[in-house]
Amino acid sequence: IADKGLEPLHAALVYLNSRFYLENLSDLRNVSVNDRVLARDELTPLSFGDCLRIERLEMEFAQARQIGIG
């Protein structure tokens, strides 16, 4: 993702114990879930529909849907 404000390892999506989490890997306080800022090394559980923000990049954590072709 081309954004000069992002570090090479700014945040991580972690799958642990059948659940997804967002982890802030940056010393900067610009990683948030639903406008709640994460501290460095903080893991927060994600739910479908959550708004993730990393620097200026906004994303929605959405459930993947499979399309069946019959």
Side-chain angles (χ1 to χ4, degrees):
I1 299 172
D3 187 328
K4 292 181 182 182
L6 293 177
E7 298 175 31
L9 292 173
H10 205 106
L13 187 61
V14 178
Y15 187 71
L16 181 66
N17 298 324
S18 302
R19 184 118 199 228
F20 284 99
Y21 296 81
L22 185 66
E23 181 178 11
N24 181 6
L25 301 175
S26 174
D27 287 323
L28 303 173
R29 297 188 47 84
N30 55 7
V31 176
S32 64
V33 175
N34 298 325
D35 295 323
R36 189 179 73 72
V37 176
L38 278 62
R40 165 108 176 139
D41 296 325
E42 180 180 353
L43 277 172
T44 191
L46 297 176
S47 298
F48 296 122
D50 282 347
C51 179
L52 314 179
R53 181 178 214 120
I54 303 170
E55 186 60 34
R56 294 177 300 213
L57 179 66
E58 274 191 35
M59 301 166 276
E60 179 183 339
F61 184 67
Q63 184 173 6
R65 292 182 172 75
Q66 292 181 329
I67 299 174
I69 300 174

